[in-house]
Amino acid sequence: MKIGLQLYSIRDCIQSGEDLAQALKKVKAMGYDGVEFAGYAGMTPEEVRRALDDAGIEAVSSHTGIDGLEASMEEVVAYAVATGAKFLVCAGSRTETKEDLLRLERVMKKVRSLAEPHGIIVGYHNHSHEFVPIDGTLPIDYIADNVCKLEPDTFWVYHAGTDPAAFLRERADQIALVHLKDGNDDGKPCAIGEGVTDIAGILQAARDAGVEWAIVENDDPVPDGLSDVQRSMEWLRKNVL
């Protein structure tokens, strides 16, 4: 299995295109195989492609919220095509009402119509609110069954009261990518191996499901993004890779 990094984890060191280019090199040197973008720091698609090539690292996917996808889906797809990303992920959406779900379904089907002809798989990244039922239906189930593939964020699955490894096995055919995240029982994310989730069990379930990429993410890195994701990679190499 390949290990990628969600670049949101190191957003504190990315203020410009040059910062992003240097960050890609640093992430590669840590041992990450690929990256998942959360914005491009003002770089054009062609500039991002060159920075990836210079760093020798792969673009796995990108994250854009539902509002950004609805407003700029052609641009979002253009970046994915230019960078060679195989996946495009909705970073999140409101799912409190049936209207929220119908809007998500409508937007994501349009995104799929643009992305899938290029061989790009469209997915949805969850938090914990997708596990709160609406009229007896879990939004996460509705999304998986009617909208697109999933990128389960395993810590938020855990925080919602669901076993992440079991969830991956139950939804094996509907999973595009896995977000590998650790955290504590108070809902605070942390570096991989420093929290309470069963990282080894989650990775084994992802492998059993045939998932190619696990993407490390920390919403709240301590003391800074680069040192935090370095610790995550060191723990993974020592314990599970």
Side-chain angles (χ1 to χ4, degrees):
M1 174 175 285
K2 297 179 182 179
I3 304 296
L5 177 69
Q6 165 52 255
L7 292 174
Y8 182 73
S9 308
I10 58 169
R11 60 195 180 278
D12 58 330
C13 73
I14 302 174
Q15 308 300 321
S16 67
E18 179 59 30
D19 290 343
L20 177 55
Q22 292 304 313
L24 294 176
K25 294 177 181 178
K26 292 174 183 177
V27 168
K28 175 65 175 180
M30 290 179 192
Y32 289 93
D33 302 301
V35 292
E36 182 174 65
F37 287 95
Y40 299 95
M43 299 178 83
T44 67
E46 294 73 24
E47 289 170 339
V48 178
R49 174 77 262 177
R50 286 195 295 272
L52 289 162
D53 291 341
D54 287 346
I57 199 165
E58 187 174 345
V60 183
S61 60
S62 66
H63 263 205
T64 307
I66 187 65
D67 292 341
L69 283 173
E70 187 169 39
S72 306
M73 63 181 69
E74 291 184 357
E75 180 181 6
V76 172
V77 173
Y79 270 94
V81 172
T83 60
K86 298 178 182 177
F87 303 91
L88 190 162
V89 179
C90 176
S93 171
R94 294 179 62 90
T95 59
E96 287 83 359
T97 68
K98 185 61 182 278
E99 289 72 25
D100 291 333
L101 289 177
L102 291 174
R103 179 205 179 196
L104 175 63
E105 182 177 4
R106 182 177 67 253
V107 172
M108 295 304 284
K109 285 186 175 179
K110 289 182 181 178
V111 174
R112 289 178 60 186
S113 72
L114 294 173
E116 289 176 351
H118 298 282
I120 297 170
I121 296 170
V122 175
Y124 180 85
H125 167 267
N126 66 275
H127 295 82
S128 25
H129 63 267
E130 294 89 352
F131 290 81
V132 177
I134 301 172
D135 298 329
T137 298
L138 291 181
I140 195 70
D141 290 340
Y142 185 91
I143 293 166
D145 294 337
N146 299 283
V147 179
C148 62
K149 298 283 190 179
L150 301 178
E151 181 187 52
D153 185 306
T154 53
F155 176 65
W156 294 125
V157 172
Y158 171 87
H159 187 60
T162 298
D163 180 278
F167 182 82
L168 294 180
R169 291 193 170 93
E170 290 167 4
R171 289 290 187 179
D173 293 340
Q174 294 165 308
I175 295 170
L177 302 163
V178 167
H179 251 210
L180 196 63
K181 182 182 293 179
D182 210 346
N184 63 35
D185 283 325
D186 293 327
K188 180 175 174 56
C190 62
I192 300 298
E194 298 178 6
V196 297
T197 58
D198 178 12
I199 298 297
I202 289 167
L203 280 175
Q204 187 56 57
R207 292 188 185 99
D208 292 345
V211 178
E212 181 182 4
W213 285 94
I215 310 293
V216 169
E217 182 186 40
N218 188 349
D219 303 354
D220 241 345
V222 176
D224 60 81
L226 287 171
S227 61
D228 189 285
V229 301
Q230 176 75 56
R231 296 199 311 278
S232 290
M233 177 53 74
E234 289 171 353
W235 189 92
L236 289 168
R237 283 178 158 174
K238 181 179 179 180
N239 293 279
V240 293
L241 297 182

